[in-house]
Amino acid sequence: MTIAAPLPDDATIRALRRRITRPIVLVGMMGVGKSTVGRKLASTLGMDFVDADEEIANAANMTIPEIFDLFGEVYFRDGERRVIARLLDEKGCDCVIATGGGAFVQDQTRELILDRGIAIWLDSDVETLVERVSRNDKRPLLRDGDTRQIVSRMKTERAPAYSQAPIKVQSDTGPHSVAVARILEELDAWV
């Protein structure tokens, strides 16, 4: 059982918020909790929250699986990079952006995020990821094969890219507020 770490007091959070001069960008595997943790983090810091996958789907006027099915992953990744670049430019330091699991693995997208944002790698063990992604059957990269094997392989393959984020935080099975408290602690030490 994970014991919830208390969030800092309001004055500490406000002081930290004033020192954040770029968007916070959450990266990591699908199912790690980027969107859920991102919403809580944005709310805590008084920032906007943007889910890059939702923005991509809105821009394309179709779902992520539909984009993959009709145009393929290369097309999707190009659109993803363009949407993330737009979000980094438009939102400035007033937002938390949750990216898709493969975004930070793409060289150009990773360079954009590292240059214009504060990248935070949310990580989790394979068991937790499998349990979480198994709740959603709309993930294109998990359609063909054993979910545990795919997630394990992807986690191993993607770790070198994710490790380039300057901040790494563990996202466990406990309350998402624990991950938020860890992020705030790491941000405070980094900015």
Side-chain angles (χ1 to χ4, degrees):
M1 176 204 268
T2 304
I3 298 176
L7 293 175
D9 61 68
D10 288 344
T12 302
I13 291 171
R14 282 193 306 273
L16 172 60
R17 174 64 189 92
R18 285 191 296 272
R19 294 176 17 234
I20 297 171
T21 60
R22 295 185 281 170
I24 296 169
V25 184
L26 301 179
V27 302
M29 287 288 294
M30 65 178 95
V32 77
K34 296 180 300 288
S35 295
T36 306
V37 170
R39 282 184 182 88
K40 290 181 185 302
L41 177 64
S43 175
T44 300
L45 289 169
M47 300 170 86
D48 291 333
F49 172 78
V50 182
D51 185 305
D53 279 352
E54 288 177 9
E55 291 290 316
I56 294 162
N58 289 340
N61 199 28
M62 59 180 72
T63 67
I64 303 294
E66 288 171 338
I67 297 169
F68 267 78
D69 289 346
L70 292 173
F71 303 106
E73 185 175 1
V74 172
Y75 178 89
F76 171 79
R77 296 296 175 200
D78 182 59
E80 178 180 59
R81 177 189 45 76
R82 288 183 280 121
V83 166
I84 289 172
R86 176 179 55 82
L87 293 173
L88 288 166
D89 288 342
E90 286 179 359
K91 297 296 183 176
C93 63
D94 291 325
C95 78
V96 174
I97 301 169
T99 63
F104 204 67
V105 178
Q106 308 305 309
D107 293 338
Q108 289 182 321
T109 306
R110 184 173 58 254
E111 289 171 20
L112 279 169
I113 293 169
L114 290 172
D115 184 52
R116 300 184 200 169
I118 301 170
I120 299 174
W121 174 18
L122 278 184
D123 194 17
S124 192
D125 61 68
V126 171
E127 295 303 316
T128 300
L129 294 172
V130 169
E131 190 276 321
R132 289 177 180 170
V133 300
S134 295
R135 300 177 201 162
N136 179 347
D137 64 355
K138 295 179 181 162
R139 298 184 187 268
L141 297 177
L142 296 179
R143 288 185 187 156
D144 302 317
D146 178 81
T147 300
R148 182 174 313 289
Q149 288 177 349
I150 295 169
V151 168
S152 183
R153 176 184 46 79
M154 289 173 68
K155 185 173 180 353
T156 300
E157 291 172 355
R158 292 176 173 187
Y162 294 150
S163 69
Q164 293 180 47
I167 299 172
K168 179 182 178 184
V169 172
Q170 195 69 21
S171 176
D172 301 318
T173 58
H176 291 294
S177 60
V178 173
V180 171
R182 290 174 181 162
I183 290 170
L184 294 173
E185 183 179 331
E186 293 297 325
L187 270 173
D188 189 42
W190 193 79
V191 294

